[in-house]
Amino acid sequence: MDINSVGIVGSGTMGLGMAQTMAQHGVNVTLVKATPGSTDKAQATLKKSLERAVSKGALREEELEGVLGRVAFTDQLDPLADCSLIVESIIEDLETKQDLFRKLCKIVPAETILATNTSTLSVTALMSVCEARARVAGLHFFNPVPLMSLAEVIHAFETSDVVVTALVNFCRRIGKEPVVVQDTTGFIVNRLLTPYILNAIRLLEQGTGTIGDIDKAMRLGASHPMGPFALADYIGLDVVNAMAQNIYEDVRQQYTATPHTLTRLVLLGYLGRKTGKGFYDYTQQPAIPNPDLARPVA
Ligand code: 3HC
């Protein structure tokens, strides 16, 4: 089963990161903006990321136009009819994703692989709305996609071995190292990473250490590239919150419950880097720990 052209639905950080990675490895991509409207912003963001790759020496300048030319932008699903693989990376809401899968099933042939980049939703629940289910799987990338080596290939209830093998081979072709995971909430990485971040927040709430010191401890003591707070801000606190809720819904264990501090930050719209404030305040240069979090939690 050869994967020659890929459709990606969702032109956010993950969708764009996937498109960049695939196009840098010679794959033609159709990138669909999931909400109707201009794709100018997405195109500009991709170009900026490729220019950064050039400045970092990860891409040769003369290759840039070729990579850009391999990504076609649209806000329609119909151009996906000829793709051999479609990966959705839209909002983390099961009904919205199921609705998209229903539409895709009407547009593409029964052998087209339908994959989801969901963080913590059930691939099997997405599969349930399709008639041809063996072609539905998970293909989960990590942010920032062009830099993170791993991809999780999720083998859901009725996914065929042929589809899993095709996805594993495709991951290697685009420079990713795949692991095959059964369909469990959070798969491997988010299932372990989310409680780790929640635990760091609990340590902060208990006064064990400051944001800066907890991050420093994990960077220097465990060789993590970022501490848990910098990472949570990087992922987006709304995303961390949603992952925590989905995992809690499944395991019902206290260690997966959402700490008050996270709930409050999300309620106030402090979602991390993307909003300029989260556990750190990015409006300051360099970013400083959010001063509102220096007081004890009531
Ligand atoms: N495109 C392609 N390559 C690029 C690039 C771009 N736009 N920008 C940089 N690069 C290359 C550079 O050339 C460099 O390559 P080299 O190592 O061969 O020289 C490499 O990428 C590293 O670049 P930087 O020096 O800019 O990056 P850092 O070394 O500072 O690392 C980081 C940045 C990768 C973000 C690192 O801090 C990190 O790994 N953080 C943790 C990220 C993480 O854990 N992500 C997972 C989150 S969970 C998730 O995503 C799941 C989801 O479901 C929520």
Side-chain angles (χ1 to χ4, degrees), residues 20 49 52-53 56 58 119 140 142-143 147-148 190 225 231:
Q20 174 181 335
S49 179
R52 184 169 151 75
K56 289 270 180 181
S119 305
H140 183 223
F142 297 85
N143 185 24
L147 312 196
M148 302 296 287
N190 286 335
L231 180 59

Side-chain angles (χ1 to χ4, degrees), residues 201 204-206 260-261 264 293 295-298:
I201 301 171
L204 177 72
E205 290 177 345
Q206 287 162 13
H260 296 303
T261 305
R264 287 171 192 189
L293 296 173
R295 286 173 285 117
V297 178

Side-chain angles (χ1 to χ4, degrees), residues 14 20-21 24 46 48-59 92 117-120 140-148 152 187 189-190 193 197 224-226 231 234-236 239-240 243:
M14 297 303 284
Q20 174 181 335
T21 304
Q24 279 188 249
L46 177 61
K48 214 168 134 196
S49 179
L50 288 171
E51 283 165 357
R52 184 169 151 75
V54 169
S55 75
K56 289 270 180 181
L59 180 71
E92 279 287 276
N117 181 52
T118 182
S119 305
T120 45
H140 183 223
F141 292 94
F142 297 85
N143 185 24
V145 183
L147 312 196
M148 302 296 287
E152 290 175 320
F187 317 125
V189 174
N190 286 335
L193 196 58
I197 290 172
H224 288 195
M226 291 171 162
L231 180 59
Y234 191 77
I235 295 172
V239 177
V240 175
M243 295 200 294

Side-chain angles (χ1 to χ4, degrees), residues 1-285:
M1 196 178 234
D2 279 343
I3 296 173
N4 299 314
S5 59
V6 177
I8 296 171
V9 187
S11 59
T13 307
M14 297 303 284
L16 278 166
M18 288 185 245
Q20 174 181 335
T21 304
M22 292 176 196
Q24 279 188 249
H25 287 82
V27 177
N28 288 322
V29 176
T30 303
L31 184 60
V32 181
K33 184 175 181 296
T35 47
S38 165
T39 59
D40 289 356
K41 193 172 154 222
Q43 294 195 45
T45 309
L46 177 61
K47 188 153 186 256
K48 214 168 134 196
S49 179
L50 288 171
E51 283 165 357
R52 184 169 151 75
V54 169
S55 75
K56 289 270 180 181
L59 180 71
R60 285 207 308 258
E61 189 157 14
E62 58 272 25
E63 290 173 329
L64 192 148
E65 286 304 321
V67 174
L68 267 179
R70 279 194 280 280
V71 184
F73 290 83
T74 173
D75 65 348
Q76 302 293 314
L77 292 177
D78 292 339
L80 301 182
D82 296 332
C83 294
S84 31
L85 162 68
I86 297 175
V87 191
E88 77 73 25
S89 190
I90 62 167
I91 182 172
E92 279 287 276
D93 175 73
L94 184 61
E95 280 181 24
T96 313
K97 285 187 195 280
Q98 285 179 325
D99 198 40
L100 173 65
F101 267 52
R102 281 190 199 96
K103 286 184 187 145
L104 289 172
C105 288
K106 286 190 188 134
I107 293 170
V108 300
E111 55 277 8
T112 304
I113 302 176
L114 296 183
T116 172
N117 181 52
T118 182
S119 305
T120 45
L121 293 172
S122 158
V123 180
T124 307
L126 283 172
M127 171 185 276
S128 71
V129 302
C130 300
E131 269 177 33
R133 293 173 171 172
R135 44 86 166 259
V136 179
L139 185 58
H140 183 223
F141 292 94
F142 297 85
N143 185 24
V145 183
L147 312 196
M148 302 296 287
S149 315
L150 184 72
E152 290 175 320
V153 174
I154 293 95
H155 196 154
F157 206 69
E158 291 187 44
T159 314
S160 74
D161 291 343
V162 176
V163 164
V164 170
T165 304
L167 289 174
V168 162
N169 291 337
F170 179 70
C171 288
R172 296 208 171 107
R173 188 177 147 201
I174 60 166
K176 300 296 174 205
E177 194 47 49
V179 288
V180 177
V181 192
Q182 301 306 310
D183 186 20
T184 322
T185 311
F187 317 125
I188 294 175
V189 174
N190 286 335
R191 183 65 170 255
L192 294 174
L193 196 58
T194 308
Y196 156 72
I197 290 172
L198 300 180
N199 247 334
I201 301 171
R202 277 188 260 279
L203 286 189
L204 177 72
E205 290 177 345
Q206 287 162 13
T208 304
T210 61
I211 290 173
D213 280 349
I214 294 171
D215 269 0
K216 189 200 273 182
M218 292 311 290
R219 277 199 323 274
L220 304 186
S223 274
H224 288 195
M226 291 171 162
F229 297 108
L231 180 59
D233 279 353
Y234 191 77
I235 295 172
L237 301 188
D238 51 340
V239 177
V240 175
N241 191 42
M243 295 200 294
Q245 286 176 353
N246 287 337
I247 294 173
Y248 182 78
E249 198 62 31
D250 184 7
V251 305
R252 301 264 169 196
Q253 298 281 328
Q254 194 54 31
Y255 76 94
T256 64
T258 307
H260 296 303
T261 305
L262 180 59
T263 308
R264 287 171 192 189
L265 286 169
V266 172
L267 274 175
L268 294 174
Y270 296 137
L271 306 182
R273 274 180 183 270
K274 60 186 163 192
T275 57
K277 221 177 194 186
F279 287 103
Y280 288 89
D281 181 348
Y282 299 91
T283 61
Q284 308 293 315
Q285 281 299 339

